Structure formats: C-alpha cells, structure tokens
Amino acid sequence: MTNLSTIQVIKKGEGLNIEFKSKIDSVFKIAKTLTSFANTSGGTLLIGVDDKGGIVGVESEIKELQKLEKAVSQCMEHPLSLKFKTERFEDKLVLRVEIDESSDKPHFAINEKQDRIIYIRVKDKSIPIPRMLIQGEAETSVAKILNSRQVKTLVNHLKEVDTIDVKEYSRMINISEKRANRMLNDLSEKQILIKLNKSKIARYSLKWTE
C-alpha cells in the first residue's frame, strides 16, 4: 500500500489493508485497529477521512499524534513501530499511518477493562480472538497455532469467504477429512473459530464477538 498515493488509497476504499477515521475518538479503539493490521498483513490508516472516503481533515495534528503515541505506549503489548506523515489537501490535513505486518506477532490490544485481546483483520473489520485473554503457557500455545502454515492458510481463506467445512479444508491443505475435522474442532474449542450448525454439514467461520 505504501506505493499508492493517499488519493489512490482513498479511492480503493476501506478493506483488509485500509481503514479511515475522521478522528481518533478512543485510544483503545485505535490500538485495536493498529494491532489487527500488524497481526494480519499490515495496512494503512488515514485519519481525517470519513467512512465514505470524504476528506474532512483533523483539527490538530499534534493531538492526533499524541493519541497514537498513547495507544502504542499504554494500550498494547509488544509495541509497534509506526510510519506516519501529514498531507495537506487544500486547507485540510490528513494523517497517514503505515503499519507493517509484524514479525513479532501476536500483538495484544488492551481495552478499558485491561483485558488483553488479539485482533486480526477480516475484510474491513478488526476481529477479536477471545482465547488470547488467557496468559502463560496457553497464550504461547495459541500464538504457535496462529503461526502454523495450516492455520495461516485457513485464516487467509476465511478473510475472503465467510465459512468453510471439513471437506473443503481437507482438500485445501491436503490432509484427511478426519484430521481436518479434528483441527477445525480444536480451533473452535480455542475460540479461534466458531462452529455453525445451521445445516447438516457443520461450517466454521472466524470468531467474531461485538
């Protein structure tokens, strides 16, 4: 995304690697966005642009930068390195923030209740993985799971489509349906996936809690 101009980014619209904010109204929410980009495939955050891509500008560049600094220093674990610049469009300022995919993931966002949550990017949303609230050995175990080739392939697939079943997953990573079923159920138990039983054939999607 760094090779695109800010106007080109705006024209692409919000999605997996792009998010717009008129302003930072919560350091906790912006920490969620930043960590979700770092935990997935990186992204561009434009502050001073509304949800429809309209340039509204920021009232104070300094205040928005202070909020970003607070989000990074106080509202996340494993701090991120951000790249940012300010651009002027007529009389309006837009703050552009670039977040690379992290080699040190997962990164935790900390909410108002001091819960530690890992977010990933799915389409144009930052989605929590509740399992990451626990600490210690289990935390390390889940981090390893998320970094495994089979699970990365699954997560990338579920960013493009909403659900998957056992047969589809077994073909995707070339394993038996029995093993695929065991893996999907294990991910469901760890609250990385949610199991849907609306039809005879169970389907799975990424866990999403409001």
Side-chain angles (χ1 to χ4, degrees):
M1 207 64 63
T2 55
N3 60 333
L4 297 180
S5 71
T6 295
I7 291 298
Q8 289 174 317
V9 172
I10 291 173
K11 286 181 178 179
K12 285 179 68 70
E14 291 187 302
L16 179 66
N17 304 105
I18 300 172
E19 180 148 331
F20 304 149
K21 294 286 185 186
S22 297
K23 62 179 181 179
I24 299 176
D25 54 8
S26 165
V27 293
F28 299 105
K29 289 181 181 178
I30 211 66
K32 175 177 75 173
T33 300
L34 296 173
T35 56
S36 73
F37 279 139
N39 287 330
T40 311
S41 53
T44 299
L45 169 66
L46 296 181
I47 305 168
V49 178
D50 64 26
D51 290 342
K52 295 181 180 179
I55 297 176
V56 296
V58 296
E59 292 183 7
S60 169
E61 175 189 359
I62 296 299
K63 287 183 179 178
E64 299 304 312
L65 288 173
Q66 287 173 338
K67 293 173 189 173
L68 280 172
E69 192 280 329
K70 186 175 181 180
V72 171
S73 63
Q74 300 181 30
C75 302
M76 62 178 69
E77 287 188 14
H78 299 174
L80 301 174
S81 176
L82 309 179
K83 293 174 285 188
F84 56 85
K85 63 179 179 179
T86 304
E87 298 183 53
R88 183 178 292 275
F89 297 90
E90 296 182 352
D91 61 338
K92 297 172 181 175
L93 290 177
V94 171
L95 183 60
R96 176 170 175 164
V97 185
E98 299 287 348
I99 305 97
D100 292 331
E101 179 179 358
S102 175
S103 58
D104 192 32
K105 58 187 176 184
H107 294 264
F108 295 80
I110 301 171
N111 66 16
E112 297 92 332
K113 298 178 181 178
Q114 298 301 299
D115 294 325
R116 302 163 64 251
I117 305 173
I118 282 183
Y119 290 87
I120 59 173
R121 195 76 177 170
V122 179
K123 297 181 180 178
D124 62 346
K125 303 293 183 184
S126 298
I127 308 303
I129 302 178
R131 173 66 174 171
M132 298 305 177
L133 293 171
I134 60 177
Q135 299 180 354
E137 293 181 4
E139 173 185 305
T140 302
S141 172
V142 175
K144 287 181 179 178
I145 290 171
L146 284 176
N147 278 312
S148 69
R149 180 186 62 81
Q150 293 95 336
V151 175
K152 279 185 176 180
T153 300
L154 175 63
V155 169
N156 286 332
H157 180 72
L158 289 175
K159 288 182 219 166
E160 304 299 328
V161 303
D162 291 330
T163 64
I164 194 169
D165 64 23
V166 169
K167 186 173 291 186
E168 293 166 346
Y169 188 47
S170 70
R171 287 200 300 263
M172 180 188 300
I173 61 173
N174 194 29
I175 61 174
S176 69
E177 289 186 23
K178 182 177 181 180
R179 185 180 172 197
N181 182 63
R182 186 167 62 247
M183 290 176 67
L184 290 173
N185 279 323
D186 185 50
L187 291 170
S188 177
E189 289 175 3
K190 288 180 169 60
Q191 298 187 53
I192 294 171
L193 299 181
I194 184 169
K195 187 175 183 179
L196 308 172
N197 291 308
K198 295 180 179 179
S199 61
K200 291 182 179 179
I201 300 175
R203 300 192 67 83
Y204 299 80
S205 69
L206 287 170
K207 180 89 175 184
W208 183 356
T209 57
E210 295 289 349

